Structure formats: structure tokens, C-alpha cells
Amino acid sequence: MDDMAEDPAERTREAPWRAGMRAARANVVPGLVVQSVMVVLLLAYYFHPATREVLERLAAVKVRWGYAYSAVAAVVAGAAVPELLRIFVFQKGRFMRRNLSNFVFGSVFWVLIGILVDFFYRCQAVWFGDEAKASVVIPQVLVDQFLFTPLITAPLTTWIYEWKNRGYRMRSDFFTIAYYRNHILPTLMAIWGVWIPIVSILYTLPETLQIPVYSLALTMWVMIYTWMSEERVGRG
């Protein structure tokens, strides 16, 4: 029924799995950079006492601040970092009105995501435990990447950003199977290529450290991805 309802443009759209693979290939370099840093950080936590001490202090701050830490860290990574990068690197220090609107929108969105991810990580620790062993980490990664991400974070991100990009107007097909197949599935495939290794590392750390390290990974990812996106726009 969905196929019959599609217009000719939808029928000629690139296959979702092809679009997803193309996006995943575009993310290989930034993904490998972030994944490599996460591996080094994981090894340093377990084998370098000075690094372990710094990270444990960060975890103590997270415990004191609670969800406020997650909200602030998410705003820095998802809203402040990309706009500052655009202003000082790609706009040569010139502030534009759209930077403010992007920051306000991004702040609201990333506060929501930061708190949601923090709550989910806490739930995972309750459901499966908080130990660095396969019987704990594997189910956490599976639930994260194959339930939480495809059912909540990937659709939410795609819907909200397209809603913004369409002038805060909703598409009539936002909540259809066809929309999920054509728009969310390619995004999901790109996410898996980058984030399955990253969350595997996160879940080998204590729960109180997962959000601080997630925030670091997100910050690096956003910086690299913003740089690559702006470079492509500049060459276009």
C-alpha cells in the first residue's frame, strides 16, 4: 500500500541501503578518529593511573551535577561547538543571525538528547549491571544500537532536524513506514558504522563515567563532521 501511495520521485529515490552505505563511507574517517581516541582513553583508564584519576574526578562531578551535567555537556557538544567552528573558521569570525538561531535550536534539542541518553545509560546499568564483562557489555550494546537507537534517537533526530529545515513545518508522511525506510534507515546505517564500536567502549566503563566519555566522543564527532560538512559546502 505504501508503494502505491508514493509519487514518481519517491520511486526513483536512491535505495535506502545504498544511501546508508554511502553515508557510512563518508563517515569512515571521522568515525575512525573518534573510535581511536576512545580506545586510547579506555586503555589509559585501566592502565595509566594519572588518566584514571582525572576521569574519576570527572565522574565525581557528573555524580554531583546529575542530569544537569548531561544537559550542559550535550549543549556544548551539539550546539556550541559546531556554531563556534562555523563562526571562527568558516565565517572568518563574522557572526550571523543564523548562528544564534542554530545555537538556540541545537541547545533545546541536545538538552533533550543529553538527558534522554543519561536516563537510558542509568537504566542499562540497572537492567544488566555495571561491570566490564561480556555478559554485561554485549546485551547493553545490542539494546542500545538495535532498540534504543532505531526506535528513539535516530527517528527523533531525523524528524526534528527535517522539521527545522522545512521552516518548522511537518511533512504529512513523517510517521509512515515509507518515511522511515527512505530517510531514517540510511541515517541509522551511518550511525551503526560509527557508534557501535564507540558504545562498546563506553559500556566497559563504570556507569558514572559513561556520560562524560560519551560527551567527549560526541564533541569530537561533531567537530570533525561539521568541518567535513562545511568543507563540502565550500567546494560545492
Side-chain angles (χ1 to χ4, degrees), residues 120-163:
F120 175 70
Y121 283 0
R122 295 178 191 221
C123 290
Q124 289 268 70
V126 172
W127 296 335
F128 301 108
D130 188 22
E131 301 172 83
K133 57 183 184 182
S135 60
V136 172
V137 174
I138 291 174
Q140 288 179 326
V141 172
L142 292 176
V143 170
D144 186 312
Q145 292 295 292
F146 297 102
L147 287 176
F148 181 65
T149 298
L151 295 179
I152 299 176
T153 54
L156 191 62
T157 301
T158 305
W159 287 329
I160 291 179
Y161 270 89
E162 182 160 350
W163 172 66

Side-chain angles (χ1 to χ4, degrees), residues 21 27 31 35 58 60 78 102 124 139 184 203 216:
M21 292 301 295
N27 293 338
Q35 290 162 8
L58 199 58
N102 287 343
Q124 289 268 70
I184 298 172
Y203 286 123
L216 174 61

